Amino acid sequence: MLRDSFGRVATDLRVSLTDKCNLRCTYCMPPEGLDWLPTAQLLTADEIVRLVRVGVERLGITEVRYTGGEPLLRRELVDIVTRTTALEPRPQVLLTTNGIGLARVAEPLARAGLDRVNVSLDTLDPATFKRLAHRDRHADVIEGLAAADAAGLRPVKVNAVLMRGVNDHEAVPLLRFCLDQGYELRFIEQMPLDAQHGWTREGMITADEILERLSSAFDLAPDDLEQRGSAPAERFLVDGGPARVGVIGSVTRPFCGACDRVRLTADGQVRNCLFATEESDLKSAMRAGASDDDLAARWTAAVSRKRAGHGIDDPSFLQPSRPMSAIGG
Ligand code: SAM
C-alpha cells in the first residue's frame, strides 16, 4: 500500500497524459502557451500502462484518472483506457477534459470501459469563454458534454473555476444549466498554479462566496447522506435534491488530512500533491531497466515522504515551479 507517515493511504492515481493543451485558460497558462515537454521525455503508452499496472496490482490503487494538459490530445487515449480497464482488480477509470473533441471519442471511450468524465466549463457565454480560454471553442465543449451524456458516461460532472470580474456572476446560471442537463456541477477555488504567477488571494472567489451566490437562488442543504470521506468536494442537495452541487475549497477549506491522491506527471515523476516541491523519477528508473518490484519500492518510498498539507496559508509557501498543466490537474 502507498501509506504516508501520517497514516493516509493513496488509492487515487491521477495521471497526466500530456502537458499540452488546446486552450489557454488564464488561471492555468499564458496566452502564448508554454515550452512543452519534448516527446522523448513523455512516457509512452506502454510505459504509462506499465506504471498504472504496478500501482493497481501491487500498490492498492483503485481509481485512475487520466488528465493533463488536455488528455484528448493524446492519440492513444482509447487504447490506454482499454488497457487500464482490463487490469485486475479492475480500477475505476475516469477522465478530466476540456471537452474539445469529446463529441468524437465519447462513444469509443465508453466502449473502452471509461466509467465517468469531468468536463471543464467556466461560462455559458461564448465571448467570455474566448476571453478566459483565448480560443473560440465554447460550442465544442457544449457538444462534448452532450456526447458524453449520450454515451452513458453518467453522471457527467462539470468543473468550473470562477474568476473575479470575469465569470463570477455566472455561479447561478451555470448551476441552472447543469441542473437542466442532468450534469453535476462542482466549483473549484482558483489555486496558485498558473505558470504566469498571476494568482492573488483577493482575486480568488472563495467557497464562502460561491455558496452565498448560489444561496440567493437555490436552497442548499449539506448532503449528510453522502460521507465526504476523502472526496475534495463538499456536496449540497439543491432545492431538496436529488440534484447536488459540489464546492471544492482547495485553498480556504483544505482537505489535506483526508487526501488519498498521488500523481504521475506526463514525464513519469511521482508527485504527492499539486503543490509538492519534490518529485520522484520513475521514468528514468524504468528506462534504466528497473523491475516492477523496484518501481513499486521507489513509489512506496516517495509516498512515505508526503507532507501533512499543501501549506498555502503558511508564510513560507512557495508556488511549485511546474504549472498545473505540467503536473496534471
Ligand atoms: N485540460 C483538462 C481540463 O480542462 O479539464 C484537464 C486538466 S485541467 C488542469 C484540470 C482542471 O483543473 C480543470 O477543471 C481546470 O479548470 C482546473 N484548473 C486549472 N488551473 C487551475 C487553478 N489555477 N485553480 C483551480 N483549478 C484549476
Side-chain angles (χ1 to χ4, degrees):
M1 280 205 298
L2 293 170
R3 188 186 293 279
D4 67 34
S5 63
F6 300 94
R8 295 168 300 188
V9 176
T11 54
D12 173 347
L13 172 62
R14 309 205 153 211
V15 183
S16 171
L17 296 184
T18 173
D19 58 328
K20 288 202 188 84
C21 193
N22 40 9
L23 295 182
R24 300 285 182 269
C25 304
T26 49
Y27 48 70
C28 193
M29 64 172 84
E32 65 276 16
L34 297 166
D35 291 332
W36 312 120
L37 288 165
T39 308
Q41 281 188 31
L42 292 181
L43 294 180
T44 64
D46 286 347
E47 288 173 333
I48 291 166
V49 175
R50 177 171 176 206
L51 289 178
V52 171
R53 179 176 55 70
V54 168
V56 169
E57 287 180 353
R58 297 171 184 243
L59 299 171
I61 293 297
T62 56
E63 187 173 313
V64 179
R65 177 176 296 277
Y66 289 116
T67 179
E70 175 44 50
L72 293 186
L73 293 180
R74 187 85 194 219
R75 277 202 202 98
E76 312 99 321
L77 176 63
V78 173
D79 173 52
I80 291 170
V81 170
T82 304
R83 293 162 72 188
T84 310
T85 56
L87 294 174
E88 291 282 344
R90 157 77 151 93
Q92 283 275 299
V93 184
L94 314 163
L95 179 73
T96 300
T97 170
N98 63 27
I100 297 171
L102 189 55
R104 201 173 20 85
V105 286
E107 263 295 333
L109 283 170
R111 278 201 302 276
L114 186 73
D115 292 292
R116 270 192 322 281
V117 67
N118 285 49
V119 179
S120 304
L121 176 71
D122 302 321
T123 175
L124 297 176
D125 173 25
T128 306
F129 186 95
K130 195 171 167 198
R131 179 172 164 213
L132 207 154
H134 294 101
R135 297 288 184 273
D136 198 3
R137 307 298 298 267
H138 187 259
D140 300 82
V141 181
I142 300 293
E143 208 187 326
L145 277 163
D149 194 50
L153 298 170
R154 299 198 192 104
V156 173
K157 295 194 177 176
V158 172
N159 293 351
V161 177
L162 296 181
M163 299 182 77
R164 204 174 296 286
V166 180
N167 62 341
D168 58 322
H169 56 290
E170 291 200 64
V172 169
L174 276 167
L175 180 52
R176 201 156 273 142
F177 168 77
C178 289
L179 294 175
D180 286 348
Q181 304 296 322
Y183 308 150
E184 188 174 317
L185 177 61
R186 305 131 53 85
F187 290 98
I188 311 176
E189 273 179 353
Q190 188 191 346
M191 296 177 274
L193 285 168
D194 56 310
Q196 60 280 41
H197 290 232
W199 180 91
T200 61
R201 197 165 286 273
E202 305 70 50
M204 170 182 61
I205 305 290
T206 64
D208 282 352
E209 286 176 275
I210 295 164
L211 289 170
E212 198 181 299
R213 280 160 213 214
L214 295 178
S215 299
S216 69
F218 302 99
D219 177 36
L220 299 185
D223 186 4
D224 294 332
L225 293 177
E226 286 245 343
Q227 286 298 313
R228 184 174 177 194
S230 59
E234 284 180 67
R235 296 171 91 211
F236 298 85
L237 289 171
V238 181
D239 292 339
R244 293 176 173 84
V245 63
V247 179
I248 304 182
S250 322
V251 178
T252 65
R253 301 178 180 195
F255 36 88
C256 306
C259 177
D260 63 355
R261 296 175 177 187
V262 61
R263 292 167 195 273
L264 188 61
T265 64
D267 57 345
Q269 311 293 310
V270 169
R271 286 180 76 97
N272 285 318
C273 175
L274 281 171
F275 298 97
T277 46
E278 249 188 49
E279 299 182 338
S280 217
D281 184 1
L282 293 189
K283 180 192 67 190
S284 299
M286 187 163 47
R287 291 186 179 173
S291 65
D292 286 357
D293 277 348
D294 251 351
L295 293 171
R298 283 168 187 269
W299 199 336
T300 309
V303 171
S304 72
R305 295 191 294 270
K306 182 161 166 165
R307 294 171 64 167
H310 58 43
I312 298 176
D313 272 329
D314 192 292
S316 64
F317 173 76
L318 281 181
Q319 183 170 335
S321 49
R322 280 204 203 229
M324 177 76 125
S325 58
I327 298 169

